[in-house]
């Protein structure tokens, strides 16, 4: 039976604990110093680390535990870590330094040299196969190999074979040294990576912020960030250049204070709609200059969501369009003059034809001194002149507009009923379909009735042999009414469709083109639009879109 002195065993354990404490301090000291000193890495740093690890091993040898003439220390803990992180070259340097001091300070050279040579050889071979493993797994494998080699050395040289508890304590403390040193190194490396990544992120953010600040401070556009209560939380320096206000003027104020009263309702409605739908919107409104006049802006508003997924801010980028508006107005006036000239030429041409007919027949009547034989023809031509002048007056003279809420179905029903006698005579049938029960809009009833009459009359006149006219109504996107009128008439050549709506352009023999032109004008006043699709001898599809009201 093996007898172990309990008091001596406690002293040995205490010595090992002291070894571990000093070892931990020696491992952590350069790591801490490295974290505080920002310098360029040394050339061949791994060799300097190997030398330092050898110095640590020397200190551990100096603190070795003496047992029956043998010296035990945990110097192989730093050697295993150097092999793990720096490879065989650095590991051999550390191991050589520790061996030299071990031979200098203690006896039993054969066992020390043989054990050292065997361990260095096995560690170097294992490193080749463990190079792809993570550090902790490499160190665990090397320590497992060290245990096997240590046991072989003990039995080969008959070293304290009667005290297994002592060997177990020794291996346990070497394991603790490897584990403790590995954890210190890994935690430091992880912390260093975090700090490095943080510095990279900070530099990236600084560079990005600098770029955005450069853009915001030098752009001529107005950039502002508005909260949901319309208060301004950021405004670019361009506000002072364009509107004349200093930055302090906007602090604690709402944007509504600077919006033109006539644009305020539209502005608030657009912002509220954007908050409800979480979609970007564009709008035009006027802002007050410091000197009192108003400047027109075209703005792009985009909602910004917070961490909760709700909209917290609205980014508004506005551009001064005063000069553009002036240019558009100038172009519009030029276009009006051009249209007036074209219309004057067209009017002269259209009225001259019937006047020529009347003049010719009157001259014949005068020569023959007979009663007027062609009174019906003359009256017809005079009526044509009256029609042209009436349409010109309705086109040029401002009409009194009285907007009322009505249903598109009622207007279609009235138009269909009004034209029913005419379609019966021409063997034409109306087919009306509605996808919804109601299509409420705000409009001037008589004007829209005129539009539908013009469209349906054109469809009827394009079908001399009879047929069917399909009229359908549907909602689109919940805020738009779509009216489709499809006939089975002669159709329109594709290269002529783009001219529909121009004054005095018509495919009918006695048409003036003013009916469609007036229709386009009325639909545009109601914020709608008209489009055409047609094939010759197959028919025409006319699509009218008008905004619905809730």
């Amino acid at each position: 039976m093996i007898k172990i002195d309990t008091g001596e065993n406690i002293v040995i354990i205490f010595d090992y604990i002291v070894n571990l404490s000093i070892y931990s301090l020696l491992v952590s000291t350069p790591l801490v110093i490295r974290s505080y000193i920002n310098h360029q890495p040394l050339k061949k740093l791994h060799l300097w680390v190997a030398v330092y690890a050898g110095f640590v091993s020397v200190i551990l040898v100096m603190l070795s535990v003496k047992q029956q003439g043998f010296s035990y220390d945990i110097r192989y803990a730093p050697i295993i870590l150097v092999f793990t992180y720096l490879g065989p070259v650095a590991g051999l340097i550390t191991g050589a330094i520790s061996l030299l001091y071990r031979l200098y300070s203690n006896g039993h050279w054969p066992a020390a040299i043989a054990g050292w040579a065997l361990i260095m050889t096995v560690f170097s071979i294992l490193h080749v196969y463990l190079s792809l493993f993570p550090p902790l797994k490499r160190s665990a494998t090397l320590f497992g190999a060290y245990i096997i080699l240590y046991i072989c050395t003990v039995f080969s040289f008959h070293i304290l074979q009667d005290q297994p508890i002592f060997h177990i304590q020794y291996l346990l403390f070497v394991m603790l040294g490897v584990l403790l040193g590995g954890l210190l190194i890994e935690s430091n490396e992880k912390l260093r990576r975090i700090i490095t990544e943080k510095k990279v992120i900070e530099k990236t953010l600084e560079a990005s912020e600098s770029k955005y600040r450069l853009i915001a401070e030098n752009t001529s556009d107005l950039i502002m960030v508005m909260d949901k209560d319309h208060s301004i939380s950021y405004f670019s320096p361009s506000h002072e250049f364009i509107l004349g206000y200093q930055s302090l003027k906007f602090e604690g104020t709402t944007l509504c204070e600077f919006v033109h009263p006539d644009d305020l309702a539209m502005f608030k409605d657009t912002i509220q709609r954007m908050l409800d739908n979480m979609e970007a919107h564009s709008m035009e409104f006027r802002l007050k200059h410091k000197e009192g006049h108003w400047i027109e802006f075209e703005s792009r508003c985009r909602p910004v969501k917070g961490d909760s997924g709700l909209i917290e801010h609205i980014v508004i980028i506005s551009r001064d369009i005063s000069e553009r508006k002036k240019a558009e107005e100038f172009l519009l006036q030029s276009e009006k003059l051009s249209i007036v000239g074209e219309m004057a030429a067209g009017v002269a041409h259209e009225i001259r034809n019937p006047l020529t007919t009347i003049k010719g027949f009157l001259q014949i009547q005068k020569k023959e001194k007979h009663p007027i034989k062609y009174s019906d023809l003359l009256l017809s031509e005079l009526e044509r002149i009256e029609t042209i002048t009436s349409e010109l007056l309705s086109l040029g003279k401002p009409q009194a507009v009285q907007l009322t809420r009505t249903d598109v179905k009622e207007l279609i029903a009235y138009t269909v009923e009004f034209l029913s006698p005419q379609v019966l005579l021409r063997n034409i049938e109306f087919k009306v379909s509605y996808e919804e029960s109601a299509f409420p809009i705000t409009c001037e009833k008589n004007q829209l009735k005129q539009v539908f009459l013009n469209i349906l009359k054109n469809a009827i006149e394009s079908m001399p042999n009879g047929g069917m006219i399909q009229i359908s109504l549907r909602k689109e996107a919940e805020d738009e009414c779509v009216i489709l009128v499809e006939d089975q008439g002669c159709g329109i050549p594709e290269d002529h469709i783009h001219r529909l709506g121009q004054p005095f352009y018509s495919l009918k023999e006695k048409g003036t083109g003013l009916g469609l032109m007036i229709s386009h004008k009325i639909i545009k006043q109601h914020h709608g639009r008209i489009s055409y699709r047609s094939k010759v001898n197959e028919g025409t599809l006319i699509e009218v879109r008008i905004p619905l009201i809730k």
Side-chain angles (χ1 to χ4, degrees), residues 376-390:
D376 292 339
L377 180 59
L378 296 177
L379 288 173
S380 173
E381 294 298 324
L382 287 173
E383 286 176 359
R384 187 178 179 200
I385 294 174
E386 183 181 6
T387 300
I388 294 171
T389 54
S390 298

Side-chain angles (χ1 to χ4, degrees), residues 117-129:
L118 183 61
I119 291 171
M120 294 297 105
T121 302
V122 173
F123 280 9
S124 299
I125 295 173
L126 284 177
H127 185 271
V128 177
Y129 297 98

Side-chain angles (χ1 to χ4, degrees), residues 305-458:
K305 297 180 181 179
D307 297 334
S308 60
L310 301 176
I311 295 177
E312 295 183 356
H313 306 286
I314 298 173
V315 177
I316 303 176
I317 302 177
S318 304
R319 176 165 296 179
D320 183 0
I321 58 172
S322 301
E323 294 299 325
R324 193 184 79 187
K325 285 288 185 180
K326 292 179 181 178
E328 289 178 353
E329 186 176 352
F330 177 77
L331 289 174
L332 183 60
Q333 293 297 332
S334 300
E335 186 177 354
K336 285 181 179 178
L337 291 174
S338 175
I339 292 175
V340 167
E342 181 182 348
M343 187 176 295
V347 169
H349 175 75
E350 293 295 325
I351 294 180
R352 184 178 58 182
N353 290 337
L355 286 178
T356 301
T357 303
I358 295 172
K359 182 179 178 181
F361 280 107
L362 287 176
Q363 287 175 344
I364 293 173
Q365 188 272 335
K366 183 178 179 181
K367 288 181 180 180
E368 295 181 356
K369 297 181 180 179
H370 291 302
I372 299 177
K373 298 179 181 180
Y374 308 100
S375 57
D376 292 339
L377 180 59
L378 296 177
L379 288 173
S380 173
E381 294 298 324
L382 287 173
E383 286 176 359
R384 187 178 179 200
I385 294 174
E386 183 181 6
T387 300
I388 294 171
T389 54
S390 298
E391 289 182 336
L392 284 173
L393 286 173
S394 65
L395 180 64
K397 181 180 178 181
Q399 303 293 317
V401 177
Q402 184 179 0
L403 298 178
T404 58
R405 180 188 177 99
T406 189
D407 194 329
V408 179
K409 288 171 58 177
E410 297 178 4
L411 300 178
I412 295 294
Y414 168 84
T415 309
V416 169
E417 183 179 358
F418 182 81
L419 293 174
S420 293
Q422 186 174 348
V423 298
L424 288 174
L425 293 175
R426 292 174 176 263
N427 194 26
I428 295 174
E429 180 185 356
F430 282 129
K431 183 178 180 181
V432 185
S433 62
Y434 308 108
E435 292 187 2
E436 301 288 340
S437 58
F439 299 86
I441 63 172
T442 300
C443 68
E444 209 293 326
K445 290 184 178 181
N446 292 328
Q447 288 187 351
L448 282 189
K449 287 178 183 178
Q450 182 180 356
V451 171
F452 296 142
L453 280 172
N454 287 339
I455 292 175
L456 292 177
K457 283 179 67 177
N458 287 340

Side-chain angles (χ1 to χ4, degrees), residues 12 15-16 19 59-76 102 106 108 111 146 150 153-154 157-163 166-171 174:
I12 292 174
D15 288 341
Y16 278 137
N19 272 260
I59 295 177
L60 294 176
V61 172
M62 295 172 62
L63 299 172
S64 61
V65 177
K66 303 297 189 297
Q67 183 73 3
Q68 296 184 10
F70 289 92
S71 177
Y72 286 85
D73 52 71
I74 59 172
R75 69 181 182 275
Y76 275 102
R102 164 70 177 79
N106 294 286
H108 303 287
Y146 175 72
Y150 175 80
T153 304
V154 168
F157 291 92
H158 307 288
I159 302 172
L160 301 179
Q161 295 182 8
D162 58 341
Q163 295 190 23
F166 174 80
H167 294 298
I168 292 173
Q169 289 175 353
Y170 168 73
L171 291 174
V174 173

